Amino acid sequence: MAATLRHRLPEDQMPFAALIVAAGRGHRAGGGIPKQFRDLGGKPLLQRTVRAFLDHPQLAQLAVVIHPDDTALYAAALQGVADARLLPAVQGGAERQDSVRAGLEALAGTDPEIVLIHDAARPFTPPEVIDRVLAGVAETGAAFPALPIVDALWRVEDGLVRHAEDRSALWRAQTPQGFRFGLILAAHRSAAGAAPDDVAIARAAGHDVRVVMGDGNNFKITLAEDFDRARRLMGDRMDIRTGNGFDVHAFGEGDHVVLCGVRIPHPRGLKGHSDADVAMHALTDAIFGALAEGDIGRWFPPSDMQWKGAQSEIFLAKAMERAADRGFRVNHLDCTIICETPKIGPHAADMTDQIARITGLSPDRISIKATTSERLGFTGRGEGIAALATATLVAE
Ligand code: MG
């Protein structure tokens, strides 16, 4: 039999619209504002959910249904998400069903073939689950992800176990629930009463609905402990980096040295292009190292005369700015100063305060310590000061 050439996309690879329902009040999770706008690891929960769909290559358009009181929260939650597929927010109704209906009516103008209706509070939907729902819709016209129940189920009455329930045919529903668009719009328009979800509405209109395999991480954030679970899940994916820095400056003419921004009287100064703050240079290089962005020399070339005599805090401030621009938070800084003189101990607290002022870190995340080299080597002979540092950065 000759192979058939496809002139159209297979149905399970057709573009789809997504409708994210974010109109709930969601106070069971605590926090004062509806849960979908709360922070989850540095981004609003809703933004994470929206991005999970925008990241799918077949997504053609996406609309979010919100409560009329949440216009400002919505704008803040999606600030910086610039994507032409994101349609203006749709105002929802009193019940979830009303909100979905409003969203479907809003999408009707864009004439989608397939729509996936999703809870705003499920931010971790894997692309494979979306793919399975799309394949189920292609086959049956309606499909949703669910998980089989693995725990034993017992019927309980008055606190006493009565009998075991057969769990083999029971599934736990998730979203996105996917439908041919015309099918679910017509089903909503003709729905007679309240239904728990869109699967129920499709079934009430006489349609078969296929179950596809869900995913354990595609859980709904409902209670405060679900936020903890979500943070732990993201912690597994956390981008944590360490960088090291090392610097040496030789003693020369002068009556003081500057270490971590603190001026310390000393019979000899340190030679250098800037203020020769060897400790702050090591800290700065550690941050640039964690970012894999070279060292101070790349950002502030010694050949550039404008840095002559500069206060080294501008270097450290620049490294902090680069970390923030790259989406990293500096979590901890540790610096060891190696010299016979001056004595560092009496100044360590002042140095910590200076680094805290420049970086915005709390002092308990800054470690400044010192050692001698037991009179060995160039530091032992009092020819100069060395410093090494470690920076720990965490992606936001
Ligand atoms: Mg230096």
Side-chain angles (χ1 to χ4, degrees), residues 291-302:
L291 295 171
E293 292 206 21
D295 60 10
I296 291 181
R298 186 198 291 187
W299 291 86
F300 300 92

Side-chain angles (χ1 to χ4, degrees), residues 247-249 281:
D247 197 24
V248 173
H249 282 257
H281 296 178

